[in-house]
Amino acid sequence: MNDSAADDYPQTTQVTQKLNLQTKLAYGAGDLGPAITANVSIFFLLLFFTNVAGIPAGLAGSVLLIGKIWDAVNDPVVGVLTDKTQSRRWGRRLPWMLYGAIPFGIFFFLQWIVPRFSSNQSSNVWALFWYYVVIGLISQVFYTVVNLPYTALTPELTQDYDERTSLNSFRFAFSIGGSILSLILAQIVFSRIPDRQQQYLVLAAICTVISVISLYWCVFGVRDRVLAFEAKRIQREEPESLPFLQQLKIVFTNRPFLFVIGIYLCSWLAVQITASIIPYFVINCMSLPEADVPTTMIAVQGTALLMLFVWTSVSKKIGKKLVYFLGMSLWIIAAAGLFFLQPGQISLMYIMAVMAGVGVSTAYLVPWSMIPDVIELDELQTGQRREGIFYGFMVLLQKFGLAFGLFLVGNALQASGFKEAVAGQTALPIQPESALLAIRIAVGPLPTICLILGLVLTYFYPITREMHAEILLKLKQRQQHHNS
């Protein structure tokens, strides 16, 4: 696009101005839909496959593995495509969210149906396996179509170091709020509908409607600010776009970026493994009814939501690194406590859940507030802004790790002798001691290893507040040089 094209963009909002509350709320709302659907899937999909659809744990883990690997593969593709998208009315990212929202909701809902393909139990299990694989693959495509462009909006909405942390606190307030909302809805639905299959259908339908509405709120709420950034961006003379393989080389030779994706992979893998195994821990190790699963999750996510704003304020005084260290240390103590917890120690379980929630909030907040700093370093070095490809590969590597983690959990359960339910039966089977030990290892030692690795990487992360200020100063000087 040439300079004259900039006239087509609204100029009412200046990207140098501070973000107003309305824009921050609209931006935060964009993560509500993906968060509700992702959290319901993380908390309940493995449980749904084994305890409702009657799929063996190893096979259920394989469904999630295939879906997540595919999800990871399509991320960088969508990232590059959003970088290349040109729309005078919507900019680069928003068209994807606008047109992808409704299909995203539909295919999420279809994952929670249990069709009957055959009267033969074995044949029906394999038919269900392939049904969930296909629906899962399509669902993951539309998740990427709405979520990846959304994540790449952060550096376009503000260029201020501390305001980005504030913006991400709004994003994750909606994200964790969506997680809590989905758990409250689950608790209400589970307590009022006795049929286990109907419970998940009703929950999925409600979450679908909320998800689509919140995505549209974001698109229309941030549009003016995004288009003001686009107008400014296309006035700058950017070098010719580099070939895809050369872009890959630049992304993976950006040393701070490698640290950020490592930190995110470790902390998020711990979040996802814990979230997927906690329902099994509550039901099988603590001998509590299924209705208590959402309550335990709310203790974790509710604490994480409250701590987001505390950590945002604290990070301005002591920095992102130290905040991450404090949060993760508490989570490691909580994970150790959960491993040794026995049935009847319900109060202790909730104390551990609250402690874990303090750490979970830093796993959300810190890595995502580091990424825009990395993007600006790349812009300084190359003269181009490539938010899409950076966010795409960050999420790609996180999802490869997550896919492996879920596959590991599912197969570890099956190898330990975990017994899946028979579809249509109300009573759940009693699990052997070997399966209970596998659940305890997955809730304690496994996340702890991930968290310790994340702490080591955070210690060596090179971009400080001072270094970031220097990067912005050099970018500003370059821009003034181009304008003069």
Side-chain angles (χ1 to χ4, degrees), residues 48-267:
F48 171 79
F49 287 155
T50 58
N51 289 8
V52 179
I55 299 174
L59 215 52
S62 299
V63 173
L64 299 174
L65 173 74
I66 295 164
K68 284 295 172 192
I69 288 178
W70 167 243
D71 192 16
V73 169
N74 67 56
D75 275 328
V77 176
V78 172
V80 172
L81 289 174
T82 67
D83 281 342
K84 294 179 181 292
T85 300
Q86 300 289 349
S87 168
R88 288 190 178 92
R89 284 191 65 195
W90 300 102
R92 292 182 294 170
R93 320 290 178 195
L94 299 183
W96 293 80
M97 297 169 68
L98 182 72
Y99 298 115
I102 290 173
F104 161 68
I106 290 169
F107 282 97
F108 167 75
F109 176 75
L110 291 175
Q111 288 181 109
W112 304 90
I113 292 172
V114 187
R116 184 79 176 165
F117 291 105
S118 170
S119 55
N120 180 280
Q121 178 67 18
S122 177
S123 301
N124 196 58
V125 163
W126 279 104
L128 283 172
F129 169 80
W130 288 112
Y131 169 79
Y132 292 123
V133 165
V134 172
I135 294 297
L137 293 179
I138 301 170
S139 177
Q140 295 292 3
V141 168
F142 285 107
Y143 181 91
T144 301
V145 160
V146 297
N147 189 242
L148 194 138
Y150 167 77
T151 60
L153 286 174
T154 313
E156 298 185 3
L157 290 171
T158 179
Q159 283 71 55
D160 182 86
Y161 184 84
D162 288 322
E163 196 173 35
R164 280 176 178 168
T165 307
S166 169
L167 188 64
N168 273 299
S169 71
F170 273 84
R171 173 189 170 184
F172 292 118
F174 273 91
S175 178
I176 301 174
S179 170
I180 294 167
L181 176 61
S182 68
L183 292 168
I184 292 170
L185 289 170
Q187 196 165 30
I188 294 167
V189 171
F190 290 177
S191 63
R192 298 200 175 183
I193 300 173
D195 183 86
R196 200 177 284 124
Q197 190 175 331
Q198 288 296 320
Q199 289 172 352
Y200 287 104
L201 269 180
V202 172
L203 179 62
I206 296 168
C207 292
T208 296
V209 173
I210 295 170
S211 299
V212 174
I213 291 170
S214 64
L215 282 165
Y216 283 131
W217 177 10
C218 176
V219 169
F220 289 99
V222 303
R223 180 172 176 255
D224 285 351
R225 181 83 179 198
V226 167
L227 293 184
F229 174 85
E230 288 290 308
K232 195 172 180 180
R233 180 184 67 83
I234 62 173
Q235 283 173 344
R236 297 199 301 263
E237 292 180 23
E238 290 194 355
E240 196 79 14
S241 183
L242 297 171
F244 180 66
L245 289 176
Q246 203 169 336
Q247 289 193 38
L248 278 189
K249 187 180 175 185
I250 288 170
V251 165
F252 286 100
T253 51
N254 185 315
R255 188 165 163 268
F257 177 66
L258 297 180
F259 276 96
V260 174
I261 55 177
I263 294 162
Y264 185 48
L265 173 61
C266 292
S267 53

Side-chain angles (χ1 to χ4, degrees), residues 7 369 444 446 474:
D7 298 332
S369 61
L446 206 55
K474 288 179 180 176

Side-chain angles (χ1 to χ4, degrees), residues 16 42 118 276 300 316 323 354 358 423:
T16 51
I42 291 160
S118 170
S276 63
V300 177
K316 291 177 184 176
V323 159
V354 168
V358 174

